[in-house]
Amino acid sequence: MKNRDVESEAAGRKSNIETDKQNISFLYLSEEDMIDAGVLNPGRCVDVMEETMGLMEDGDFLMGGPYNDAHGLMLYFPKKSPIENFPVNNARDRRFIAMPAYLGGRFHVAGEKWYGSNGNNRAIGLPRSILMMMLNDVETGKPLAYMSGNLLSSMRTGAMPGLAAKLLARNDSKVLTLVGPGVICRSSLRAIMSQRFDIDTIKIKGSSPTSANAIKMKEYIEENYPQVKNIVLCKDMEEALKDADIITEAVSCKEGEWPEYKREWLKPGALVISTSTFNMEHKSIVDLKKVIDNYGMYENYAEEDNVGYDENGDRLHTGCMGEDFVYMVQDGLIERDSLTTFGEIIRGKKPGRESDDEIILVSIEGMPTEDVAWAYECYTYALVHDIGTKLKVWDHPYAF
């Protein structure tokens, strides 16, 4: 995707979506259209995420919530209801999330990802989550595009571990560990491999060494990355973590069943990236470098969850690395300034890796600014290359 070569042309052609000031149309992009528009380009997605983190450091963005930094607004369904036919959460993960954002810079666009999820979907051959993305002109509110969001969302999620590997991994990294070998770990693999070309060993930790996802991931690596000479299906977390230069996780599990990490299993110089679930004894990570995407978002999580302490007086774990960092600040284990954001590294305000022996923990939870950025990139490419279907809202608004 050579979007930097077509940005000016795309900007000029935005006005072609409407033929006059009152006529409003938008571009519809199916999943096939999104593929044609470059949504699966991992290296370019990493570049766009780096640009996004820089803009967020500049403050040139808005998200939802009272502090403009919320992950999104979620509909939670009850376990039971007295109302006949009311949808209940009789399966894991029935929910809807609205994730709005504005992103400035060259993007200067608003958008929202609408996220529907139900754990029962897999039994009928559907992905657990079905997502759609909308972009709007920030001046008038006019719709610019409506697009399939599953590939967009998974790619931008995986691109953030790719960015972490680009900025924070040792330059001689050769061993990559994938914990939770599902869709997100696959997109993370694609992004990391686009940045770190010397990876020759990949460890896979699924629910078991013979789990369907672990075998599928092994076959995918064999087919797409012939430079990888060793693929190890690990029996436990200790085997998976030991000797790994880069560890990226995207585990889907029940609350409280998060995989446990131990300090002694991490080699000097290891980079540990969490996009989903994390469980490590707080006191063992006090002196490690900690990098996050958005501290305010984790403060929101901590305020909502307000987890307490166990019988020994230790803070309960949340399963979220960044949220644990917030509680560590509240409990006086670390200082707020000890946490580094991607944006601070990108803008040169704080250093990235400072030694080959430094162990670095990275928390990534996903934000709608990332969706807006990658959606805009695919949208502008689609405009220039005549991809997608133009749909009309109206020729002239009906006057009451």
Side-chain angles (χ1 to χ4, degrees), residues 93-349:
D93 201 36
R94 183 200 287 266
R95 57 190 167 131
F96 288 89
I97 312 175
M99 298 175 64
Y102 162 77
L103 187 64
R106 68 177 176 90
F107 302 95
H108 190 57
V109 69
E112 179 183 61
K113 184 171 73 176
W114 180 239
Y115 180 121
S117 183
N118 193 319
N120 285 336
N121 283 354
R122 292 191 178 97
I124 57 174
L126 291 174
R128 175 179 60 82
S129 301
I130 300 173
L131 303 93
M132 298 298 295
M133 184 75 199
M134 173 163 265
L135 293 177
N136 295 81
D137 180 272
V138 74
E139 303 300 335
T140 65
K142 291 185 294 188
L144 299 174
Y146 187 59
M147 62 189 74
S148 174
N150 278 53
L151 294 178
L152 182 149
S153 185
S154 64
M155 286 303 294
R156 68 79 160 152
T157 303
M160 288 299 293
L163 179 60
K166 175 182 178 179
L167 297 176
L168 298 166
R170 285 175 53 134
N171 289 328
D172 61 353
S173 295
K174 294 184 181 297
V175 181
L176 169 64
T177 288
L178 307 174
V179 181
V183 172
I184 298 304
C185 246
R186 182 173 297 190
S187 63
S188 299
L189 165 71
R190 289 165 58 91
I192 291 168
M193 296 300 280
S194 77
Q195 306 298 314
R196 293 296 170 183
F197 308 113
D198 295 329
I199 299 292
D200 62 16
T201 298
I202 296 181
K203 295 180 167 187
I204 302 170
K205 174 61 179 75
S207 56
S208 76
T210 58
S211 69
N213 280 349
I215 298 300
K216 285 181 182 178
M217 183 66 80
K218 179 177 183 293
E219 293 171 347
Y220 180 81
I221 295 167
E222 289 171 338
E223 181 179 351
N224 292 278
Y225 300 100
Q227 71 272 34
V228 176
K229 305 306 179 185
N230 304 299
I231 304 174
V232 182
L233 298 175
C234 300
K235 64 181 183 300
D236 55 34
M237 285 293 288
E238 181 176 3
E239 181 184 8
L241 301 186
K242 281 195 170 181
D243 302 319
D245 298 301
I246 303 171
I247 299 154
T248 188
E249 73 78 30
V251 173
S252 178
C253 63
K254 294 180 181 179
E255 185 175 352
E257 296 182 1
W258 311 299
E260 185 177 9
Y261 294 68
K262 291 187 180 295
R263 173 72 174 266
E264 58 265 28
W265 297 342
L266 302 177
K267 68 179 286 188
L271 173 66
V272 182
I273 307 163
S274 175
T275 67
S276 182
T277 59
F278 182 79
N279 181 10
M280 192 167 176
E281 204 271 321
H282 289 180
K283 293 177 182 177
S284 73
I285 62 175
V286 167
D287 62 324
L288 303 184
K289 174 168 284 185
K290 303 165 190 66
V291 177
I292 56 175
D293 44 7
N294 181 353
Y295 187 76
M297 181 172 64
Y298 299 120
E299 283 186 307
N300 292 335
Y301 290 177
E303 184 176 343
E304 291 173 6
D305 294 339
N306 192 29
V307 302
Y309 302 84
D310 63 19
E311 62 276 7
N312 298 317
D314 294 322
R315 178 77 75 164
L316 295 171
H317 290 277
T318 67
C320 172
M321 182 189 284
E323 186 176 354
D324 279 356
F325 292 166
V326 171
Y327 289 127
M328 290 175 71
V329 170
Q330 293 179 359
D331 293 341
L333 292 175
I334 59 175
E335 297 293 327
R336 166 65 184 89
D337 192 55
S338 69
L339 302 175
T340 300
T341 66
F342 279 98
E344 288 173 321
I345 295 170
I346 291 163
R347 291 295 189 247
K349 297 179 179 179

Side-chain angles (χ1 to χ4, degrees), residues 62-73 98-101 296-297 300 304 368:
L62 287 173
M63 297 198 301
Y67 308 111
N68 300 317
D69 56 9
H71 178 77
L73 177 65
M99 298 175 64
M297 181 172 64
N300 292 335
E304 291 173 6

Side-chain angles (χ1 to χ4, degrees), residues 343-375:
E344 288 173 321
I345 295 170
I346 291 163
R347 291 295 189 247
K349 297 179 179 179
K350 287 187 178 181
R353 175 171 291 277
E354 296 179 85
S355 76
D356 282 346
D357 289 340
E358 187 176 36
I359 296 174
I360 304 177
L361 305 181
V362 181
S363 182
I364 298 165
E365 276 289 304
M367 295 178 288
T369 48
E370 298 161 5
D371 295 300
V372 167
W374 194 225

